[in-house]
Amino acid sequence: MAMTGSTAPLAPHPDRLLPTDPSVRSIARRLYRHVRELPILSPHGHVDPRLFVEDAAFPDPATLLVTKDHYVTRILHAAGFSLDELGVGRDDLTEAESRSIWRALCSRWDVLRGTPSRYWLESELSEIFGVEQRPSAATADAIHDRIADCLAKDEFRPRALFQSFGVEVLATTDDPADDLSAHRSLREDPTWTGRVIPTFRPDRYLEAGRPGWVEAVDRLGEVAGIDTGDYTGYVRALEERRRRFVELGATSADHSHFDVRTDPLDPGEAERIYRAARADAATPEETTALRRHMLLEMARMSTEDGLVMTLHPGVRRNHHTPTFQAHGSDTGHDIPVRAEFTEALRPLLERYGTHPNLHLVLFTLDETTFSREIAPLAGFYPSVYAGAPWWFLDAPEAVRRFRGAVTETAGFTRTSGFIDDTRAFCSIPARHDMSRRLDSGYLAGLVAEHRLAEDEAAEVAVELCTTIPRGVFKL
Amino acid sequence: MAMTGSTAPLAPHPDRLLPTDPSVRSIARRLYRHVRELPILSPHGHVDPRLFVEDAAFPDPATLLVTKDHYVTRILHAAGFSLDELGVGRDDLTEAESRSIWRALCSRWDVLRGTPSRYWLESELSEIFGVEQRPSAATADAIHDRIADCLAKDEFRPRALFQSFGVEVLATTDDPADDLSAHRSLREDPTWTGRVIPTFRPDRYLEAGRPGWVEAVDRLGEVAGIDTGDYTGYVRALEERRRRFVELGATSADHSHFDVRTDPLDPGEAERIYRAARADAATPEETTALRRHMLLEMARMSTEDGLVMTLHPGVRRNHHTPTFQAHGSDTGHDIPVRAEFTEALRPLLERYGTHPNLHLVLFTLDETTFSREIAPLAGFYPSVYAGAPWWFLDAPEAVRRFRGAVTETAGFTRTSGFIDDTRAFCSIPARHDMSRRLDSGYLAGLVAEHRLAEDEAAEVAVELCTTIPRGVFKL
Amino acid sequence: MAMTGSTAPLAPHPDRLLPTDPSVRSIARRLYRHVRELPILSPHGHVDPRLFVEDAAFPDPATLLVTKDHYVTRILHAAGFSLDELGVGRDDLTEAESRSIWRALCSRWDVLRGTPSRYWLESELSEIFGVEQRPSAATADAIHDRIADCLAKDEFRPRALFQSFGVEVLATTDDPADDLSAHRSLREDPTWTGRVIPTFRPDRYLEAGRPGWVEAVDRLGEVAGIDTGDYTGYVRALEERRRRFVELGATSADHSHFDVRTDPLDPGEAERIYRAARADAATPEETTALRRHMLLEMARMSTEDGLVMTLHPGVRRNHHTPTFQAHGSDTGHDIPVRAEFTEALRPLLERYGTHPNLHLVLFTLDETTFSREIAPLAGFYPSVYAGAPWWFLDAPEAVRRFRGAVTETAGFTRTSGFIDDTRAFCSIPARHDMSRRLDSGYLAGLVAEHRLAEDEAAEVAVELCTTIPRGVFKL
């Protein structure tokens, strides 16, 4: 039965990820047919907007599919490759380097078995690039050639792919001090009709204990045209930048801190800590207190300017300092920790939990919070939504566990709809398609167990790709 | 395929919740047949005993099925209805109000998709009230009329339903200072043959830090005829009230605090804190210490008077203070937190864990404790039982996760059997039936995987509805 | 359908534990066929090596299958038997006692329903001893006779069973001060060809706060021939004993403390605490700090001598002190607690996480850490492996949850392969077979969902029993 690497086919099955029980699968197929071709709403991700301004050909297969995807490089790193060998952090690979990195991936195709990265890559290779052989040491070069040939063609440029992928809205993630020139260019470009919108991501400006914070808030002040020398100016500068993001189409502000505590400080104390932090004289406890207070302030601003607040907490970033020092952040060693929402968000929800302007979407890497905290919160507060499974949990079985943990307490309408959260542009269709298959399968299970009528299940399947994310993220 | 609200049928399927695989389903059907008609033992719940003393007709559909069921009102609240609109806390709805609340529910029938509340309501509408149309804005009035017509009939009065539901024992939950007159009336009523028993629930008397505690223990002393001015009297008054509960048929004492720590205080320290608390001079740490000590005392009393001790910890009650102030407690915003049993119960189990009189039933809203703590404890201590999934977890997939997490370590005989824990009287048959279907399905899976013979599975299915709860709760 | 105990057959089904869906089951059967007969690698367990030195007949059925297996005695204890009645701690049962204990087990065969102990015992009774009747009060004596008859035969002696079980490598667990004479005897015995290797388990020498620690390190010094009067000697003595273990074939060092924190002390502080501990003058905080520092030291030694480091944390040992006092440790009341790896192991992984000599295998009893911490760590660090489900989690549904939680982040190659961790020698084949069935079933699910080709699944199934454990444990 074993096939050599060079003869094994690559042919994603039309029924992949659907339930295996034949009677359930046939229901799932019918549900999936309703959503398969729907346009893509991508309300949270990390694609660079300049991609569409420049619309240049993608450089090479390794840069496009390997070196920038820390989901893939971390697994190859665990398998023994150094991040240098994998070109991590490089933007200027030679053809030989690209080929060598691509070979590394194909030669250890086995270590990706059972992972979503493998699933997405297979879909991409087959459906975007027409690859028909399973990657292996023997087929690596041929596949590299095929992708490189594709990338040289106009229909593989970013704008063409945006269209052929069926993307309706794509939200990027942007620094508050970014001048948003890429977003402005796209809005002003009469030849571009896609909707690409910025997202306000102020993490580094709220973490007064991190190196470079003073320079960052100074620069924020310059961009905003407001003196951030005191706390009042700092808050006003953040408000001003949010306003500018809203003008350029932003609908969300995204926050990713170690925890989501939102304990208020009185204004004098906030001012005092802010000044101390600027003088590098604040303790870690104080800068943490300021950050927690500022998260509450962000919620207050959301009630005023309407930006949806998305929370992605609970990760020890840059776990391995030597790797961070050599290669920087987002290099595969951000490791989750326990999360807590019930107590942490109570100050925020006491104040703003029933405010009509607030949408608060809770993401987690700690699955225990799905049934224990997130679903109960989303099942009472009109402002709270259970965010779709994210990062390590954006994978078939984890998605099923999410639906299993959340639905019984919060139903479907209190969940966010899918987010792809990716910097791997070419994986976007495969990721959304995966989500649609899994939701179709989950709903088919409810139908097969006689917990939901099929017409209702079909309605939910469609809503999860349309009205629900549109409503939650105010698209 | 979509049906309009007015034509879609409501017809719970005879195989609902059974496994979808045909070979497993047929085993499950056979097992379910053994238990389907067994009488209902309800050892823990919140039905008001006066219902059966007065035996008055239920007032109206909204009061019966919506306003008092915080499982339902919280989801409608999340969907945008105010609790005022839903009549929460009201006992005197006009017909127009009942109809309006009922319409709110039916018009957002979609938000309940996938929830157990929807499942129970469908069973109740169909099986108790004979409703044959799916609730929707279009069918709301007709269904309201149908239920109202039923409620006017004698066979829908509480006593008649108690009988037609097949309830054999129903435990209520009662305040230690309650005079138990309703329970006494029922015992003395020669026309009433049902078994309705009180449960001793002393939470507020053990929380010296809560507002109104001094008045509460004073009143407890009056009812008990024992001066609670000092710690000794306080303990004796509790013992006396327990004795009185036992006399009136109680078999359990129920405890729901934030945690289940049971650290002993020496008597002098307990006395000192008790006096300080009465003078409003105890710190939060001290009143917490007293509560933990008193939980240990409750266990000691259980070894003496035999009351089963049930623990329901780990909830941040009244999470949203503005809602609590407007509508009181039990209004849908009690949110779970992490729970811990291993260390917390160690002092209690060191002392009484092998005492023949102690039955300690551990409930949790933190599913992580099922396999990690509760099953290992129940798998060693003869006094400890794993309580059935409760509250947010009393739902099909959560119940399956419970069996999956507990059985392999503790088997079936160390679990409690089902409790419905409900104040929604009409949902009792649907809840117990749900549990029987799920246990039949779980057992069928063991049979289909050749882990258990079918004759043994049938024995377990029956025991879980009969000898097991009877033994655990001393019914 | 109910069968009396004396007529019900015992006949483990050839398809047991395979998925119930017929199409998935047929794939699983084909995969299982590839691994069913492979030799057993047992890299972690608690079998006594003297068993094979002496090669004496096993004494009696109860001693062999009940009294030493705390998985079984704890469940019978929960069911009401005292540990005395079960012969716990006894090594000299009379025939009458063995028969009485055996009857206790058979008469409460029902309390084991759904547990892996029941599953293993059924396999052992049927496949090793040829029992054909289901255990019950009525069949207890006949089964006891049958087993006793077997034990009298040569082919049921330890060496013969080792061979007929197909064990290729068996690692024992040994005290650093053990003279390893049993291991030496086996290596020098020309009539013995099996591979039985020691494992270095230094827990008690690292816990300076435990009673008897000073005597233990003194004895360690004597055995090592190095004065452990000061910290330097203590470290050197540990290094020396590890060296000796390596010489006698050890490939692993095993560590089971309450937590896995690895905070370094500077050498002066370590020395100071070490001296204080020897004088019984160290605080609990200090001895804990020393233990955490020493765990880091163990990792350092592993980078030097290559011993694989296995961690088994997160258990409150001897939860019930009265039982501990009467019967000693390992008597069924070790109860898990929450575990934490991300922060705890950071100091270790910062230093040694990419060291080519380090293999660090993380086991847990807290399933929440599988997807949240262990898989992300194993999915980046080339040194880290996700250990197979252990102890309470070594059971069919828990194993499925493990694969479901770990695979999507870390694939298969970052997991350890199965360990049986048992002192119940006769359960080894049943345990490994269980694991092979479950992995075949899990892989079959991936194939049926079109996530993995069947030739690849077959390769994984075989690797999980061969190259993977061989590589992870350096066998």
Side-chain angles (χ1 to χ4, degrees), chain C residues 13-313:
Chain C
H13 194 281
D15 285 338
R16 62 194 184 275
L17 296 186
L18 300 188
T20 55
D21 182 304
S23 65
V24 189
R25 181 170 281 190
S26 66
I27 302 168
R29 265 194 209 126
R30 289 195 296 271
L31 297 176
Y32 175 57
R33 227 175 277 144
H34 287 280
V35 296
R36 193 176 44 193
E37 306 291 349
L38 291 175
I40 289 173
L41 301 175
S42 176
H44 177 74
H46 296 272
V47 172
D48 187 333
R50 285 170 302 178
L51 214 57
F52 308 105
V53 176
E54 296 160 7
D55 200 32
F58 289 104
D60 62 77
T63 300
L64 181 64
L65 299 172
V66 185
T67 63
K68 292 182 183 330
D69 188 344
H70 59 74
Y71 288 59
V72 172
T73 55
R74 67 164 179 76
I75 294 186
L76 293 173
H77 179 262
F81 293 96
S82 72
L83 296 186
D84 280 328
E85 289 174 281
L86 299 172
V88 170
R90 295 278 307 284
D91 252 329
D92 54 351
L93 299 180
T94 64
E95 204 217 298
E97 286 170 327
S98 171
R99 204 173 278 280
S100 157
I101 293 165
W102 185 255
R103 257 190 234 121
L105 171 68
C106 294
S107 69
R108 294 311 311 271
W109 200 235
D110 65 310
V111 300
L112 291 165
R113 287 169 180 158
T115 68
S117 292
R118 163 107 169 218
Y119 177 88
W120 298 321
L121 283 169
E122 287 187 347
S123 293
E124 293 168 59
L125 292 177
S126 170
E127 298 185 347
I128 303 176
F129 300 105
V131 172
E132 295 178 345
Q133 297 157 292
R134 185 191 296 169
S136 70
T139 62
D141 282 331
I143 298 174
H144 189 273
D145 290 344
R146 164 128 209 149
I147 300 169
D149 287 352
C150 288
L151 295 182
K153 295 181 187 159
D154 283 349
E155 62 263 42
F156 289 86
R157 297 211 174 188
R159 289 188 173 197
L161 289 178
F162 189 97
Q163 184 136 29
S164 65
F165 290 171
V167 180
E168 187 178 312
V169 186
L170 180 76
T172 63
T173 296
D174 307 86
D175 190 294
D178 190 297
D179 65 5
L180 300 179
S181 58
H183 285 280
R184 220 173 324 113
S185 295
L186 288 174
R187 286 170 84 93
E188 290 166 2
D189 181 346
T191 69
W192 169 247
T193 56
R195 186 169 167 210
V196 176
I197 59 179
T199 298
F200 187 79
R201 170 82 170 246
D203 294 1
R204 57 194 299 233
Y205 302 94
L206 310 187
E207 303 256 15
R210 279 212 242 163
W213 173 78
V214 177
E215 296 68 27
V217 296
D218 282 350
R219 167 135 177 70
L220 183 79
E222 280 161 34
V223 177
I226 295 173
D227 180 3
T228 54
D230 63 11
Y231 173 73
T232 310
Y234 166 64
V235 170
R236 280 187 44 233
L238 285 163
E239 288 170 337
E240 169 56 22
R241 291 309 298 158
R242 291 172 65 106
R243 198 189 58 71
R244 186 67 189 125
F245 270 65
V246 171
E247 275 177 16
L248 283 169
T251 71
S252 298
D254 182 41
H255 305 274
S256 185
H257 301 288
F258 192 70
D259 62 63
V260 292
R261 280 177 58 181
T262 53
D263 314 298
L265 296 175
D266 69 48
E269 179 69 357
E271 172 73 54
R272 190 190 64 72
I273 296 177
Y274 183 80
R275 283 190 187 280
R278 287 189 63 84
D280 201 14
T283 66
E285 290 70 32
E286 287 173 330
T287 56
T288 298
L290 184 63
R291 184 253 290 165
R292 290 170 176 167
H293 166 79
M294 287 308 296
L295 196 59
L296 181 61
E297 277 292 277
M298 290 292 121
R300 192 259 307 156
M301 293 179 199
S302 277
T303 64
E304 291 167 8
D305 61 25
L307 283 179
V308 175
M309 192 170 187
T310 62
L311 301 183
H312 289 89

Side-chain angles (χ1 to χ4, degrees), chain A residues 74-81 319-320, chain C residues 299 302-303 307-311 345-346 348-362 374 376-387 413-416 471-474:
Chain A
R74 67 166 179 74
I75 294 185
L76 293 172
H77 179 263
F81 294 96
H319 192 264
H320 191 240
Chain C
S302 277
T303 64
L307 283 179
V308 175
M309 192 170 187
T310 62
L311 301 183
L345 290 175
R346 201 172 176 207
L348 188 162
L349 291 169
E350 295 264 32
R351 289 193 187 191
Y352 310 120
T354 57
H355 193 289
N357 259 12
L358 184 68
H359 283 196
L360 181 64
V361 192
L362 307 180
I374 290 176
L377 288 166
F380 173 76
Y381 287 102
S383 58
V384 177
Y385 297 92
T413 57
R414 309 304 306 157
T415 64
S416 73
V472 172
F473 293 101
K474 304 186 178 179

Side-chain angles (χ1 to χ4, degrees), chain B residues 2 21 47 58 60 86 91 123 137 170 182 207 266 301 326 375 465-466:
Chain B
D21 182 303
V47 172
F58 288 105
D60 62 78
L86 299 171
D91 251 328
S123 293
L170 181 77
E207 302 257 15
D266 68 48
M301 294 180 199
C465 304
T466 55

Side-chain angles (χ1 to χ4, degrees), chain B residues 21 339 342-343 346 349-350 368 371-372 379-382 404 408-409 414 442 448-449 451 453 455-456 459, chain C residues 17 21 25 74 77-78 113 116 118 134 316 318-321 336 338 366-368 395-398 400-401:
Chain B
D21 182 303
T342 301
E343 304 282 43
R346 201 173 176 206
L349 292 168
E350 295 265 32
T368 71
S371 75
R372 190 181 59 223
F380 172 76
Y381 288 102
E408 297 184 323
T409 289
R414 309 304 304 156
Y442 182 76
E449 286 188 6
R451 296 171 66 191
D455 68 303
E456 294 194 275
E459 203 172 293
Chain C
L17 296 186
D21 182 304
R25 181 170 281 190
R74 67 164 179 76
H77 179 262
R113 287 169 180 158
R118 163 107 169 218
R134 185 191 296 169
R316 173 58 65 201
N318 307 313
H319 192 264
H320 191 240
T321 302
R338 276 201 286 265
D366 178 351
E367 299 186 61
T368 72
E397 292 168 76
R400 290 175 187 143
R401 292 196 298 271

Side-chain angles (χ1 to χ4, degrees), chain A residues 179-443:
Chain A
D179 65 4
L180 300 180
S181 57
H183 284 280
R184 221 174 320 114
S185 296
L186 288 174
R187 287 170 83 93
E188 290 165 0
D189 182 345
T191 68
W192 169 249
T193 55
R195 186 169 167 209
V196 176
I197 59 177
T199 298
F200 188 79
R201 169 81 171 247
D203 294 0
R204 58 194 298 233
Y205 302 95
L206 310 187
E207 302 258 14
R210 278 212 242 163
W213 174 78
V214 176
E215 295 69 26
V217 296
D218 282 351
R219 170 139 175 67
L220 183 80
E222 282 162 31
V223 176
I226 294 172
D227 181 3
T228 54
D230 64 9
Y231 173 73
T232 310
Y234 165 64
V235 170
R236 281 188 43 234
L238 286 162
E239 288 171 336
E240 169 56 23
R241 291 310 296 159
R242 291 172 67 106
R243 198 189 56 71
R244 187 67 188 126
F245 272 65
V246 170
E247 275 176 16
L248 284 169
T251 70
S252 297
D254 181 41
H255 305 273
S256 184
H257 301 288
F258 192 70
D259 62 62
V260 293
R261 280 178 57 182
T262 53
D263 314 299
L265 297 176
D266 69 48
E269 180 68 358
E271 171 75 53
R272 192 190 64 71
I273 295 177
Y274 184 79
R275 284 190 187 280
R278 287 189 61 85
D280 203 15
T283 65
E285 290 70 32
E286 286 173 330
T287 55
T288 297
L290 184 62
R291 184 253 289 165
R292 290 169 176 169
H293 166 78
M294 287 307 297
L295 196 60
L296 182 60
E297 276 292 277
M298 291 290 121
R300 193 259 305 155
M301 293 180 200
S302 278
T303 63
E304 291 167 6
D305 61 24
L307 283 179
V308 175
M309 193 169 187
T310 62
L311 301 183
H312 289 90
V315 189
R316 174 56 68 201
R317 303 270 176 186
N318 308 311
H319 192 264
H320 191 240
T321 302
T323 297
F324 173 65
Q325 286 164 345
H327 298 281
S329 57
D330 298 323
T331 45
H333 48 107
D334 296 341
I335 310 290
V337 295
R338 277 201 285 265
E340 203 283 330
F341 292 90
T342 302
E343 304 282 43
L345 290 175
R346 200 173 177 206
L348 188 161
L349 291 168
E350 295 264 32
R351 289 192 187 193
Y352 310 120
T354 57
H355 193 289
N357 260 10
L358 184 68
H359 284 196
L360 180 64
V361 192
L362 306 181
F363 295 90
T364 193
L365 295 170
D366 178 350
E367 300 186 61
T368 70
T369 59
F370 282 140
S371 75
R372 189 181 61 222
E373 304 177 34
I374 291 176
L377 288 167
F380 172 76
Y381 287 102
S383 59
V384 176
Y385 297 92
W390 158 59
W391 200 341
F392 297 103
L393 303 179
D394 177 15
E397 291 166 78
V399 168
R400 289 174 187 143
R401 293 196 297 271
F402 163 78
R403 286 280 172 222
V406 166
T407 308
E408 296 184 323
T409 290
F412 294 97
T413 58
R414 309 303 307 157
T415 64
S416 72
F418 186 67
I419 61 153
D420 55 67
D421 189 36
T422 192
R423 48 201 91 226
F425 179 56
C426 286
S427 73
I428 288 178
R431 287 171 188 254
H432 285 261
D433 179 70
M434 180 183 95
S435 169
R436 292 167 185 191
R437 290 173 180 276
L438 293 167
D439 283 342
S440 299
Y442 181 76
L443 287 159

